[in-house]
C-alpha cells in the first residue's frame, strides 16, 4: 500500500491542494472503495500534513468512505426529482435483487448500495450511478440487465 | 415569441465532442479571435452592454464582475469555471459540458483575456466524473491547436487550464467553499473580506463563474452586437437555459428567451404533465427555490418579475410536481437534502435544518405539536437572517412557500 | 490613517478602515454579545450571535463585518433581538444543559449569554425537549490531564485553532458535516491515542465546559483525611500571580503569602515552594550547559521544564532529543527530593509522604504520572492540581481568601530566589540560568542581571551575552508553533544558538493551560509584570546564592551532575512516534 500511495502522491504532488485528488486515487486503488485509516495516516505523513487535516477532508466529502464498501458502488439518487419520479420502486428492486438494504454490501462483495444527493440526471429520472457511470430512465427490466452485466 | 431557441446551445448535436475541427466548422473560436482583436476594455464593455448576469444563481452582472476582477493585478490570477452543479433538478451545465464543451472553454479563454487571468481551472463536481475524460480531451485538443498555452493564436495571451474534480459536496457550489476544497480542506465557506476577486485561491485574485455564463460569453462575442439582446426583455436580455424535469412528458435542457411563462415552458416545451395529471406545484431555481402553485404559472420568467415577487430564478431549474405527490414527502426530501449537505460550520444552518427535519417528521406522522407552525416560522427566520452562507439562508425557502400557498395540506394531517 | 465614519445605534463614530463593527461598537461602550469570538484568535463568525442590523432587512455578524463609510448599524433593533434569540435557542438545542453540575458553572460564556437574553423571562427554550439533540459521544476521560465532554461542545472551533496554529500539535479535526459535525481527533480517537501534548491551551480558550482538566481534588482531600499520611504541597512560580484572579484580584497581583496561609488552613502538613527546586534546576541545568560548552557537547541545549514542550518534542521532534537538557522539571525535582532527602531528614518512609503540586499546567499531571518519575514504585509527585483547582479547593474549604493574613513557606524548601520566580514567564529560565552561568564561569558579579531582551510576550526572542571571551547566543520561544521554528533549525543542524528556552504555552507558564480562564494577551502581560516585580523585590535574585540550595548540595547531592543528582534530578526521554 505504501508504495502505491507514494506513487500516487508522486503524480499529484505534495501540496495540500493535491489532497482531494490523492485521496480519490487512494480510494480507487482499494478494491472495496474506501480509505482505510492506515492509508490516510500514510497520506498525511508523506504529504507532510496532520492526520487531523486529512481526516477532516475524508469525513467531509460524500465521495469518501471510511468503511469498506464493495467492488461497485451503486448510488441511488434520493433527491426531490427522483422522488417524484418514484425512485422508491428502484430501491425496492435493488434491495430485493441484491438481497441487501441500502448501506450494505452484497455477500459476494460485488455491490454496495447507498443513497446519493442529486447527480444531475433529472432529465432521465429515476436514475442511479454505478461507480462513475450514470444510468437513467430505469425500470425493472433495464435495471436487472445492468446488474447482470456487472455480475459477469 | 419563439419558445425554444438555439444561441448558447446552437452547437448542440452539430459536432461530437471533443472534435475540435467539428466545432470550428460551426464557427468555433471565431468569438475568441474577435475578442483578441478588441481591447480588454472594449471586450468588457461588450459584455456589460449585453446585460448578461451570472447564471449560477446569484445573477450578479457579469461585465461588472469582470471589470472588478481586472482591477486586481498580480503575477497569478485564477479563473475558475464553477461546474459544481449541485442544485437538485439542475443539469443544464452538464448538458453544456457534454454537448458543447468548447463553447464553455472558449468563453473561459475570452474571459481570461479580458481580466488578465493566468491560470484556468474547471471545477468539475464528483458526480460528473463521467465527463472528465471528454473535457480533458477537449483541453488537449485546444492545446494542440494553440488555443491554450503560451501565446494563444499568436497573441501575447498566455493561459492554460486544468480540471479539478470534486469529492461530493453541494456546498462547494459556493465560491469560497469551492476554493477551500481546491486547497485540500473541507468545503466550508470563508469569511469575507477578503473577497475572492482580491484574494481567492491561494490568496491570489480569482474570478469564479458558472459554466453557462462562459457559454453565454462565447455566444455574445461570436454574434454581432444585438443578437443576444434581441432575445428577452429590456431588463432581462438574452436567453436562459432551463432544466425542465419532474412529472413532465418531455424533460430536458431548453434554451428559452427571458419572458416566457412557466406555463409555456411546461406545456409547450415539456409537453405537459405526464399521465395528463394536474400540476400540484412547480419548484423553480432548484431545491433552494420556492414551491409555486398553479396560480403562479402565468408569471413570465424574467429577473424583474421574479424579483417583484421576492423570488429567484436561481440556476434555472423547473421541477414540475403532479397532484399525486404528497407535499410533506416532498418537503421531507428537501429538508433531508439540506440536513445532509449543511457544512456544519454555523449554528443556524446546522441546528435549524435538524429542527426542521424533526418538525416535518411529526407532521408526516400526524403528531405535530400546536406550537409547530410557529416553531417553523421562528427557526426559518433565524436560518434566513443568521446563516453564514446562502445554503442555510435558502434552506427553509421551499417549506415557507408551501406553508404560504397550501397551509391546509401541511398542517391538517392528524395521526391515525 | 483612513478613518471611516458611521453610526452605531445613532451614535456617530469614526474608526480606522478595516475595523470590525464589533470593535467599533466597543469603542463607544456598546457591548455586542459574542460567543465564538476570542480576542487572540481569528474571526470565525460561526456562532452567529453577534448579529447587527445594517440595512432595512439585512443582518450581519459584527465580528466579521468591516465598517463602511456612512454605514448605519443598529445593535438592539427588534430584528436583531429576535434573531439573536433564535440563534441562542438553536445553540441551546444542541447543548447539554446540566449547568448545575458543570465545571464552568458561573464562568461560562454561553451561560452569560443566557443571562443577558433573560431566558428565564422569555420563551426562549420552546424547542421541545425531545428535539434537543446533544452529541452523544462519550466523554474522553482516558488521559491524566484533559477531559473532553462532547455534549457541551458548541463547535466554535477555538480549540482547533489554538491546537493547530498556536501549538502546532494539530490533533483536532472539524470532522464531518451538518448535524454530525464534531470537533474531535482524527478517526474519533481519544486524546491518549494521539500526540496530544496535554498543554491545555484548548481548555484556556473553550467558552463552555466542553474541555477541562481531569481533577485530582478528591485525591487530595482523601490524602488530607488520612491520619497516616504526611501531606506536603509545592506551589509553582506562576501560580502566585494568577490565583488572585479567581478571587477578584487584578491579574498579576502576587498573592503568595495568602496561598501559603490557605494551604495551611486546608490542612497540608508542610507548604513548600517549587521556586526552591527552580533554583535547583538552574544549578543543574547551568552546570549541564557549562559542561556541554566546555566539552564540545551537543549544542544548542534546550530547556526541559515545560512538560507540554517535552511531550511535543517526543511526539513530533524526537530527532532533537539529545539537545534537551536531562534535568527534570522543578516539579519533579521537588517530588524526587520529597521522597528521598526530605524523607531521610524527617525520618518518614517515602510511602507515607503524599506530595501535592499546585501547577499552572495540565501537562504536569501527565508528567507526574510518567513511569520515570517514580522510585521503587513510589511516585515522586502524588497529585497535581491546576491553579483553577486550587481556587476550587480553597472555596470548598470555605476559606475567605481575601481576608486571610499572609504566611511564609516552610523550611527547608521555602527559601528561594528571584531567579526562580521568573520561571513563570517566557524567558525567565533563560535569564535565571544566565545569571548563574555567568557568575560561575567568570567568577565575577554580573553587571546587569535584568535581561530585558528575553522578556516580554513576543513568540521568539533572541539575544547574546559575552561570558568571558565566549559570546553565548541564546533564544527563547513560547507557544509550540514558535518553538517549532527554532527546533526545525536544530533538527537541520543550522541553529546559531548555544542555549534555547522553550515553554509550551504562550507567554510561558503564566499563560499555562491550568491557569484561570478567560484570558487574553493583556491579562498575560499583566501577570508577567507581576512576576518581574516579585523578582525585583526578592532579597536573593540568583539561584546559586540561595543558602538552602548550598546546604542541599553539602548535605545530600554533593555537587551538580553527581551520581546522586543523576539519580534524583535528571531524567531521559523517549520517542512517541
Amino acid at each position: 500500500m505504501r508504495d502505491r500511495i507514494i506513487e500516487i502522491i508522486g503524480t499529484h504532488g505534495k501540496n495540500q491542494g493535491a489532497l482531494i485528488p490523492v485521496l480519490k486515487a487512494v480510494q480507487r486503488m482499494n478494491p472495496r472503495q474506501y480509505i482505510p485509516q492506515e492509508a490516510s495516516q500514510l497520506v498525511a505523513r508523506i504529504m507532510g500534513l496532520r492526520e487531523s487535516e486529512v481526516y477532516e477532508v475524508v469525513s467531509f466529502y460524500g465521495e469518501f468512505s471510511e468503511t469498506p464498501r464493495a467492488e461497485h458502488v451503486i448510488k441511488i439518487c434520493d433527491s426531490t426529482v427522483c422522488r417524484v419520479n418514484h425512485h422508491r420502486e428502484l430501491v425496492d428492486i435493488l434491495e430485493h435483487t441484491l438481497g441487501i438494504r441500502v448501506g450494505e454490501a452484497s455477500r459476494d462483495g460485488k455491490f454496495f448500495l447507498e443513497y446519493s444527493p442529486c447527480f444531475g440526471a433529472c432529465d432521465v429520472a429515476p436514475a442511479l450511478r454505478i461507480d462513475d457511470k450514470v444510468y437513467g430512465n430505469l425500470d425493472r427490466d433495464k435495471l436487472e440487465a445492468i446488474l447482470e452485466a456487472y455480475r459477469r | 415569441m419563439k419558445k425554444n431557441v438555439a444561441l448558447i446551445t446552437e452547437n448542440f448535436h452539430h459536432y461530437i465532442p471533443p472534435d475540435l475541427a467539428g466545432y470550428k466548422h460551426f464557427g468555433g473560436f471565431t468569438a475568441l479571435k474577435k475578442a483578441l482583436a478588441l481591447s480588454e476594455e472594449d471586450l468588457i464593455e461588450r459584455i456589460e452592454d449585453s446585460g448578461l448576469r451570472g447564471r449560477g444563481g446569484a445573477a450578479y452582472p457579469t461585465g461588472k464582475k469582470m471589470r472588478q476582477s481586472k482591477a486586481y493585478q498580480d503575477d497569478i490570477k485564477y479563473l475558475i469555471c464553477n461546474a459544481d452543479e449541485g442544485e437538485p433538478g439542475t443539469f443544464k451545465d452538464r448538458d453544456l459540458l457534454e454537448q458543447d464543451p468548447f463553447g464553455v472553454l472558449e468563453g473561459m479563454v475570452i474571459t481570461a483575456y479580458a481580466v488578465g487571468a493566468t491560470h484556468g481551472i474547471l471545477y468539475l463536481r464528483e458526480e460528473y466524473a463521467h465527463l472528465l475524460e471528454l473535457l480533458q480531451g477537449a483541453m488537449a485538443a485546444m492545446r494542440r491547436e494553440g488555443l491554450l498555452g503560451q501565446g494563444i493564436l499568436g497573441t501575447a495571451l498566455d493561459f492554460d487550464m486544468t480540471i479539478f474534480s470534486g469529492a461530493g459536496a453541494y456546498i462547494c457550489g459556493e465560491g469560497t467553499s469551492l476554493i477551500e476544497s481546491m486547497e485540500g480542506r473541507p468545503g466550508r465557506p470563508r469569511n469575507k473580506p477578503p473577497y475572492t476577486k482580491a484574494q481567492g485561491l491561494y490568496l491570489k485574485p480569482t474570478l469564479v463563474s458558472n459554466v453557462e455564463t462562459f457559454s453565454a460569453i462565447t455566444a455574445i462575442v461570436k454574434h454581432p452586437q444585438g443578437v443576444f439582446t434581441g432575445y428577452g426583455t429590456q431588463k432581462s436580455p438574452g436567453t436562459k437555459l432551463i432544466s425542465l424535469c419532474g412529472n413532465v412528458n418531455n424533460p430536458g435542457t431548453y434554451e428559452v428567451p427571458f419572458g416566457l411563462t412557466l406555463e409555456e415552458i411546461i406545456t409547450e416545451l415539456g409537453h405537459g404533465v405526464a399521465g395528463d395529471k394536474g400540476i400540484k406545484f412547480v419548484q423553480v431555481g432548484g431545491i433552494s427555490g420556492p414551491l409555486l402553485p398553479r396560480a403562479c404559472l402565468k408569471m413570465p420568467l424574467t429577473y424583474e418579475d421574479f424579483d417583484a415577487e421576492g423570488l429567484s430564478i436561481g440556476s434555472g431549474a423547473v421541477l414540475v410536481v403532479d397532484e399525486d405527490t404528497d407535499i410533506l414527502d416532498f418537503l421531507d426530501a428537501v429538508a433531508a437534502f439540506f440536513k445532509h449537505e449543511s457544512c456544519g460550520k454555523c449554528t443556524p444552518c446546522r441546528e435549524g435544518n435538524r429542527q426542521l427535519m424533526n418538525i416535518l417528521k411529526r407532521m408526516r406522522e400526524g403528531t405535530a405539536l400546536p406550537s409547530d407552525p410557529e416553531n417553523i416560522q421562528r427557526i426559518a427566520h433565524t436560518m434566513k437572517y443568521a446563516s453564514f452562507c446562502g445554503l442555510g439562508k435558502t434552506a427553509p425557502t421551499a417549506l415557507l412557500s408551501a406553508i404560504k400557498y397550501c397551509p391546509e395540506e401541511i398542517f391538517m394531517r392528524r395521526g391515525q | 490613517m483612513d478613518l471611516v465614519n458611521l453610526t452605531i445605534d445613532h451614535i456617530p463614530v469614526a474608526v480606522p478602515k478595516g475595523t470590525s463593527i464589533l470593535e467599533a461598537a466597543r469603542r463607544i461602550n456598546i457591548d455586542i454579545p459574542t460567543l465564538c469570538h476570542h480576542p487572540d484568535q481569528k474571526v470565525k463568525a460561526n456562532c452567529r450571535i453577534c448579529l447587527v442590523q445594517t440595512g432595512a432587512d439585512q443582518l450581519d455578524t459584527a465580528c466579521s463585518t468591516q465598517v463602511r463609510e456612512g454605514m448605519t448599524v443598529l445593535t438592539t433593533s427588534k430584528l436583531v433581538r429576535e434573531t439573536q434569540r433564535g440563534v441562542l435557542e438553536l445553540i441551546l438545542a444542541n447543548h447539554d444543559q446540566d449547568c448545575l453540575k458543570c465545571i464552568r458553572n458561573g464562568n461560562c460564556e454561553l451561560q452569560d449569554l443566557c443571562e443577558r437574553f433573560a431566558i428565564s423571562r422569555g420563551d426562549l427554550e420552546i424547542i421541545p425537549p425531545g428535539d434537543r439533540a446533544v452529541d452523544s459521544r462519550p466523554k474522553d476521560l482516558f488521559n491524566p490531564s484533559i477531559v473532553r465532554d462532547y455534549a457541551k461542545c458548541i463547535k466554535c472551533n477555538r480549540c482547533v485553532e489554538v491546537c493547530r496554529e498556536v501549538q502546532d500539535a494539530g490533533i483536532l479535526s472539524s470532522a464531518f458535516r451538518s448535524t454530525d459535525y464534531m470537533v474531535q481527533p482524527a478517526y474519533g480517537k481519544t486524546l491518549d491515542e494521539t500526540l496530544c501534548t496535554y498543554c491545555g491551551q484548548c481548555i484556556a480558550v473553550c467558552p463552555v465546559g466542553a474541555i477541562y482538566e481531569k481533577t485530582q481534588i478528591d485525591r487530595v482531600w482523601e490524602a488530607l483525611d488520612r491520619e497516616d499520611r504526611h501531606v506536603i504541597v509545592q506551589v509553582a512560580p506562576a501560580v502566585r500571580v494568577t490565583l488572585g484572579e479567581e478571587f477578584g484580584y487584578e491579574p498579576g497581583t502576587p498573592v503568595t503569602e495568602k496561598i501559603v496561609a490557605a494551604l495551611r488552613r486546608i490542612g497540608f502538613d508542610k507548604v513548600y515552594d517549587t521556586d526552591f527546586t527552580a533554583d535547583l534546576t538552574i544549578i543543574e541545568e547551568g552546570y549541564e550547559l557549562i559542561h556541554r560548552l566546555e566539552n564540545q557537547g551537543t549544542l544548542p541545549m534546550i530547556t526541559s521544564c515545560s512538560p507540554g514542550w517535552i511531550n511535543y518534542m517526543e511526539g513530533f521532534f524526537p530527532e532533537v532529543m539529545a539537545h534537551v537538557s536531562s534535568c527534570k522539571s522543578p516539579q519533579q525535582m521537588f517530588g524526587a527530593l520529597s521522597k528521598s532527602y526530605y524523607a531521610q531528614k524527617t525520618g518518614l518512609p517515602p510511602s507515607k509522604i503524599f506530595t501535592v503540586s499546585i501547577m499552572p499546567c495540565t501537562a504536569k499531571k501527565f508528567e507526574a504520572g510518567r513511569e520515570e518519575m517514580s522510585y521503587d514504585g513510589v511516585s515522586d509527585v502524588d497529585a497535581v492540581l491546576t491553579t483553577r483547582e486550587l481556587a476550587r479547593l480553597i472555596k470548598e474549604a470555605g476559606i475567605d481568601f481575601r481576608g486571610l493574613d499572609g504566611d511564609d513557606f516552610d523550611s527547608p524548601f521555602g527559601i528561594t530566589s528571584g531567579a526562580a520566580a521568573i520561571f513563570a514567564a517566557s524567558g525567565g529560565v533563560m535569564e535565571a540560568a544566565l545569571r548563574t552561568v555567568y557568575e560561575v564561569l567568570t567568577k565575577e558579579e554580573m553587571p546587569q542581571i535584568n535581561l530585558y531582551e528575553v522578556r516580554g510576550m513576543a513568540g521568539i526572542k533572541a539575544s547574546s551575552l559575552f561570558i568571558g571571551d565566549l559570546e553565548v547566543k541564546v533564544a527563547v520561544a513560547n507557544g509550540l508553533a514558535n518553538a517549532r521554528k527554532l527546533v526545525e533549525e536544530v533538527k537541520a543542524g543550522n541553529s546559531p544558538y548555544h542555549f534555547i528556552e522553550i515553554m509550551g504555552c504562550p507567554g510561558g507558564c503564566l499563560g499555562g493551560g491550568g491557569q484561570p480562564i478567560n484570558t487574553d494577551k493583556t491579562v498575560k502581560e499583566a501577570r508577567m509584570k507581576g512576576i518581574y516585580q516579585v523578582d525585583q523585590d526578592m532579597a536573593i535574585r540568583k539561584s546559586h546564592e540561595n543558602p538552602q540550595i548550598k546546604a542541599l548540595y553539602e548535605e545530600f547531592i554533593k555537587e551538580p551532575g553527581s551520581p546522586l543528582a543523576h539519580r534524583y534530578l535528571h531524567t531521559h526521554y523517549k520517542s512517541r512516534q
Side-chain angles (χ1 to χ4, degrees):
Chain A
M1 182 162 73
R2 197 190 161 82
D3 291 345
R4 293 283 303 277
I5 291 176
I6 289 174
E7 195 185 316
I8 288 167
I9 293 171
T11 314
H12 294 278
K14 287 189 177 181
N15 188 308
Q16 188 168 356
L19 182 57
I20 287 177
V22 164
L23 289 172
K24 288 175 87 162
V26 168
Q27 176 160 290
R28 211 170 297 126
M29 87 184 195
N30 191 305
R32 297 191 66 189
Q33 300 210 41
Y34 79 113
I35 302 174
Q37 191 173 329
E38 313 81 75
S40 92
Q41 279 164 341
L42 275 171
V43 168
R45 191 161 307 161
I46 299 165
M47 292 183 75
L49 298 170
R50 299 285 189 229
E51 193 186 350
S52 63
E53 293 173 299
V54 176
Y55 184 68
E56 275 183 358
V57 170
V58 171
S59 66
F60 184 86
Y61 291 97
E63 171 54 13
F64 297 135
S65 176
E66 289 175 49
T67 49
R69 291 189 288 186
E71 189 183 336
H72 301 291
V73 177
I74 305 179
K75 295 163 186 151
I76 314 150
C77 174
D78 188 32
S79 294
T80 42
V81 187
C82 283
R83 276 218 209 181
V84 304
N85 281 309
H86 313 290
H87 82 309
R88 186 68 234 173
E89 288 160 26
L90 276 191
V91 180
D92 289 342
I93 296 167
L94 281 168
E95 289 189 333
H96 186 255
T97 318
L98 299 174
I100 51 171
R101 310 289 297 269
V102 175
E104 294 173 356
S106 61
R107 200 170 287 173
D108 57 3
K110 205 84 176 154
F111 299 106
F112 185 86
L113 212 50
E114 66 184 28
Y115 283 123
S116 154
C118 177
F119 42 83
C122 321
D123 49 343
V124 291
L128 58 76
R129 286 173 83 200
I130 302 182
D131 306 326
D132 286 348
K133 206 163 159 39
V134 177
Y135 298 90
N137 291 323
L138 294 170
D139 54 30
R140 178 180 291 273
D141 292 347
K142 265 183 159 173
L143 191 53
E144 283 173 353
I146 292 165
L147 290 180
E148 200 41 49
Y150 275 90
R151 281 216 183 87
R152 258 183 262 128
Chain B
M1 197 191 314
K2 203 167 169 235
K3 306 263 157 50
N4 191 13
V5 299
L7 182 63
I8 293 170
T9 58
E10 65 182 345
N11 291 322
F12 276 31
H13 312 298
H14 284 185
Y15 73 101
I16 301 167
D19 172 18
L20 191 119
Y23 179 66
K24 277 187 163 170
H25 181 78
F26 293 99
F29 293 107
T30 53
L32 177 58
K33 285 194 188 104
K34 286 182 185 173
L36 293 174
L38 294 172
S39 71
E40 293 98 324
E41 180 56 39
D42 288 347
L43 180 55
I44 291 175
E45 216 174 284
R46 184 76 193 277
I47 303 299
E48 281 174 333
D49 290 347
S50 75
L52 178 65
R53 293 166 69 168
R55 298 298 198 226
Y60 193 79
T62 306
K64 192 173 166 188
K65 190 165 169 176
M66 287 166 78
R67 188 172 293 285
Q68 290 171 345
S69 169
K70 187 172 185 296
Y72 292 94
Q73 298 295 330
D74 210 326
D75 56 336
I76 291 175
K77 184 183 286 185
Y78 292 105
L79 177 67
I80 298 175
C81 173
N82 184 346
D84 192 56
E85 186 178 45
E87 195 63 58
T90 312
F91 44 86
K92 46 104 185 165
D93 291 343
R94 187 207 72 208
D95 254 352
L96 283 170
L97 295 170
E98 211 165 10
Q99 307 292 341
D100 187 18
F102 290 120
V104 180
L105 302 180
E106 185 176 358
M108 285 179 72
V109 183
I110 293 169
T111 308
Y113 168 67
V115 304
T118 55
H119 294 65
I121 298 151
L122 190 142
Y123 187 101
L124 187 69
R125 67 185 299 225
E126 190 278 325
E127 292 81 352
Y128 289 172
H130 55 286
L131 299 178
L132 189 61
E133 222 169 291
L134 173 73
L135 292 166
Q136 278 166 341
M139 286 181 191
M142 283 171 70
R143 225 166 269 129
R144 279 194 299 273
E145 302 264 326
L147 294 157
L148 280 180
Q150 304 274 309
I152 290 174
L153 291 178
T155 67
L157 178 62
D158 298 339
F159 178 74
D160 208 335
M161 55 175 110
T162 53
I163 300 173
F164 186 93
S165 191
Y170 170 75
I171 182 69
C172 289
E174 192 276 336
T176 61
S177 306
L178 177 146
I179 288 169
E180 283 286 296
S181 84
M182 289 176 63
E183 294 186 6
R185 286 189 289 274
R188 298 198 180 98
R190 288 181 183 175
N191 270 314
K192 294 176 194 168
Y195 292 96
T196 305
K197 60 189 174 193
Q199 291 181 300
L201 183 62
Y202 299 116
L203 297 180
K204 291 290 181 184
T206 303
L207 176 61
V208 186
S209 285
N210 173 257
V211 172
E212 185 188 342
T213 310
F214 288 115
S215 291
I217 287 170
T218 305
I220 289 163
V221 180
K222 179 179 175 184
H223 294 283
Q225 218 148 0
V227 171
F228 183 77
T229 47
Y231 295 102
T233 66
Q234 183 93 43
K235 286 182 176 163
S236 302
T239 61
K240 174 83 191 88
L241 263 57
I242 295 297
S243 305
L244 182 60
C245 58
N247 305 124
V248 283
N249 284 310
N250 230 355
T253 303
Y254 296 96
E255 184 174 0
V256 303
F258 280 106
L260 224 58
T261 66
L262 289 169
E263 192 167 49
E264 287 171 309
I265 291 170
I266 294 163
T267 54
E268 299 186 32
L269 303 179
H271 295 179
V273 178
D276 279 332
K277 290 179 192 153
I279 291 177
K280 186 166 220 157
F281 58 84
V282 175
Q283 188 177 30
V284 178
I287 201 159
S288 54
L291 312 186
L292 303 178
R294 237 178 331 212
C296 294
L297 299 185
K298 300 273 184 224
M299 197 162 67
L301 186 83
T302 66
Y303 290 122
E304 58 273 23
D305 288 286
F306 270 63
D307 278 352
E309 292 295 315
L311 304 172
S312 162
I313 293 174
S315 61
V318 176
L319 164 58
V320 180
V321 179
D322 71 25
E323 57 198 356
D324 286 356
T325 302
D326 176 356
I327 195 164
L328 286 176
D329 190 36
F330 184 88
L331 291 171
D332 178 66
V334 174
F337 177 83
F338 282 112
K339 184 168 167 267
H340 187 258
E341 296 297 336
S342 164
C343 80
K345 177 179 176 128
C346 78
T347 315
C349 179
R350 180 182 69 238
E351 301 304 328
N353 279 311
R354 175 177 2 223
Q355 294 302 332
L356 291 182
M357 276 294 281
N358 287 341
I359 297 171
L360 271 166
K361 180 165 180 283
R362 279 200 287 277
M363 289 176 152
R364 295 175 76 198
E365 290 168 353
T367 57
L369 304 172
S371 62
D372 276 343
E374 194 197 313
N375 289 342
I376 290 175
Q377 292 297 341
R378 201 180 62 257
I379 292 163
H381 170 96
T382 305
M383 293 171 73
K384 184 178 160 197
Y385 283 98
S387 291
F388 193 102
C389 78
L391 192 154
K393 285 180 201 288
T394 58
T397 307
L399 178 59
L400 288 178
S401 65
I403 292 170
K404 183 171 159 194
Y405 295 123
C406 45
E408 62 289 340
E409 224 191 307
I410 290 179
F411 293 124
M412 294 313 280
R413 194 173 299 183
R414 284 287 166 259
Q416 262 77 59
Chain C
M1 196 176 354
D2 274 357
L3 282 184
V4 176
N5 296 285
L6 68 156
T7 70
I8 304 177
D9 295 339
H10 312 294
I11 304 167
V13 56
V15 291
K17 199 174 167 222
T19 306
S20 70
I21 295 175
L22 183 68
E23 291 167 59
R26 285 186 178 166
R27 286 188 187 208
I28 50 171
N29 304 316
I30 294 172
D31 180 30
I32 296 168
T34 58
L35 187 57
C36 65
H37 183 263
H38 189 285
D40 294 347
Q41 293 204 338
K42 286 185 192 156
V43 169
K44 304 189 168 51
N46 57 34
C47 77
R48 315 304 288 173
I49 200 74
C50 67
L51 296 166
V52 292
Q53 189 165 354
T54 54
D57 197 37
Q58 175 72 31
L59 298 182
D60 285 308
T61 40
C63 68
S64 66
T65 309
Q66 294 182 359
V67 293
R68 290 187 300 272
E69 185 63 34
M71 197 178 209
T72 305
V73 177
L74 297 173
T75 72
T76 53
S77 66
K78 183 163 185 278
L79 183 62
V80 169
R81 292 191 328 266
E82 280 180 2
T83 315
Q84 282 175 330
R85 287 175 74 87
V87 171
L88 184 55
E89 174 188 29
L90 289 174
I91 295 171
L92 292 174
N94 182 228
H95 185 77
D96 191 2
Q97 288 171 38
D98 65 343
C99 297
L100 286 177
K101 291 192 238 160
C102 182
I103 196 154
R104 292 290 292 273
N105 189 14
N107 181 20
C108 167
E109 294 180 44
L110 181 56
Q111 216 174 36
D112 291 347
L113 280 181
C114 291
E115 187 185 0
R116 173 165 178 164
F117 285 90
I119 62 167
S120 56
R121 188 187 75 220
D123 50 359
L124 188 70
E125 229 197 309
I126 22 190
I127 285 184
D131 285 359
R132 296 225 330 255
V134 174
D135 298 318
S136 57
R137 237 196 103 166
K139 282 184 195 175
D140 182 348
L141 302 158
F142 306 102
N143 68 82
S145 294
I146 296 171
V147 178
R148 285 191 79 94
D149 181 353
Y150 292 93
K152 300 257 172 62
C153 177
I154 55 153
K155 284 102 178 161
C156 70
N157 274 265
R158 287 183 187 176
C159 57
V160 179
E161 179 178 325
V162 84
C163 185
R164 196 169 283 180
E165 296 182 22
V166 180
Q167 296 302 72
D168 191 53
I171 63 134
L172 297 174
S173 301
S174 309
F176 302 105
R177 58 194 194 195
S178 188
T179 51
D180 298 328
Y181 185 51
M182 179 103 75
V183 173
Q184 60 171 29
Y187 289 94
K189 290 177 190 174
T190 50
L191 291 175
D192 60 319
E193 297 170 313
T194 70
L195 294 178
C196 177
T197 67
Y198 303 120
C199 71
Q201 285 302 310
C202 51
I203 300 175
V205 295
C206 183
V208 295
I211 325 173
Y212 48 91
E213 68 281 327
K214 194 164 188 184
T215 188
Q216 293 188 324
I217 290 182
D218 289 339
R219 240 176 104 72
V220 171
W221 276 126
E222 219 173 89
L224 289 167
D225 288 340
R226 285 180 65 162
E227 292 287 328
D228 61 345
R229 284 285 179 278
H230 178 77
V231 187
I232 64 174
V233 60
Q234 57 167 323
V235 183
V239 176
R240 63 207 65 198
V241 288
T242 62
L243 181 79
E245 292 165 37
E246 297 276 3
F247 298 95
Y249 290 94
E250 283 301 311
T253 310
V255 290
T256 322
E257 288 85 6
K258 284 183 192 291
I259 293 174
V260 176
L263 290 169
R264 237 175 232 134
R265 280 228 191 153
I266 289 166
F268 288 95
D269 293 304
K270 296 285 176 189
V271 181
Y272 292 125
D273 195 347
T274 310
D275 283 18
F276 176 79
T277 40
D279 277 332
L280 184 58
T281 301
I282 288 304
I283 304 299
E284 286 295 324
E285 205 164 272
Y287 275 89
E288 185 182 350
L289 177 64
I290 291 167
H291 184 80
R292 290 186 189 222
L293 286 170
E294 290 180 340
N295 298 284
Q296 285 83 45
T298 307
L299 289 172
M301 187 176 90
I302 311 177
T303 58
S304 58
C305 320
S306 164
W309 148 240
I310 293 299
N311 290 340
Y312 176 78
M313 181 274 294
E314 290 179 328
F316 299 92
F317 287 95
E319 304 87 350
V320 305
M321 205 175 279
H323 291 267
V324 180
S325 162
S326 63
C327 288
K328 284 183 184 172
S329 69
Q331 156 172 282
Q332 292 307 139
M333 285 196 183
F334 183 95
L337 288 182
S338 75
K339 303 292 168 84
S340 56
Y341 172 68
Y342 181 77
Q344 284 173 23
K345 245 180 126 78
T346 54
L348 290 162
S351 59
K352 299 281 184 213
I353 300 172
F354 191 91
T355 304
V356 178
S357 330
I358 312 295
M359 293 285 143
C361 180
T362 46
K364 286 285 173 197
K365 290 174 185 270
F366 177 85
E367 184 187 48
R370 281 173 173 261
E371 60 180 54
E372 327 64 284
M373 301 300 176
S374 63
Y375 198 79
D376 282 347
V378 179
S379 295
D380 294 341
V381 172
D382 297 284
V384 180
L385 302 185
T386 59
T387 311
R388 294 188 294 270
E389 286 170 282
L390 174 58
R392 285 202 288 279
L393 184 68
I394 292 170
K395 287 171 189 169
E396 279 179 30
I399 294 168
D400 167 15
F401 187 78
R402 292 183 70 102
L404 283 176
D405 288 331
D407 228 340
D408 289 329
F409 284 110
D410 286 304
S411 192
F413 306 135
I415 297 176
T416 61
S417 78
I422 58 173
F423 266 56
S426 162
V429 175
M430 175 61 67
E431 184 170 338
L434 291 177
R435 288 180 191 174
T436 290
V437 169
Y438 183 95
E439 300 198 352
V440 170
L441 280 178
T442 63
K443 310 212 168 33
E444 286 168 19
E445 194 173 336
M446 196 171 178
Q448 167 57 278
I449 64 166
N450 290 343
L451 299 178
Y452 295 107
E453 295 83 1
V454 296
R455 296 185 182 182
M457 287 293 293
I460 295 179
K461 294 164 279 188
S463 183
S464 70
L465 175 77
F466 273 96
I467 300 181
D469 294 335
L470 178 68
E471 186 186 12
V472 177
K473 291 184 176 166
V474 301
V476 170
N478 63 85
L480 293 168
N482 293 318
R484 180 184 181 148
K485 293 173 194 155
L486 296 181
V487 172
E488 292 274 15
E489 290 179 349
V490 174
K491 185 179 161 185
N494 56 17
S495 175
Y497 304 109
H498 295 99
F499 189 26
I500 295 174
E501 176 205 294
I502 293 178
M503 291 295 154
C505 293
C509 303
L510 48 80
Q515 297 281 34
I517 305 250
N518 290 343
T519 51
D520 58 16
K521 220 175 150 194
T522 56
V523 171
K524 288 176 195 154
E525 278 163 356
R527 291 170 178 175
M528 197 173 268
K529 217 174 141 197
I531 206 70
Y532 283 108
Q533 193 56 51
V534 171
D535 170 36
Q536 199 70 43
D537 295 344
M538 296 285 276
I540 308 166
R541 296 189 60 203
K542 298 164 192 164
S543 299
H544 57 285
E545 290 178 355
N546 180 340
Q548 202 67 56
I549 290 285
K550 290 179 190 166
L552 176 71
Y553 277 100
E554 278 160 25
E555 289 174 29
F556 188 61
I557 303 174
K558 308 306 171 202
E559 59 186 47
S562 70
L564 272 178
H566 272 277
R567 175 164 163 188
Y568 293 111
L569 308 180
H570 290 256
T571 184
H572 56 273
Y573 311 105
K574 56 181 182 292
S575 169
R576 289 205 287 160
Q577 277 183 356

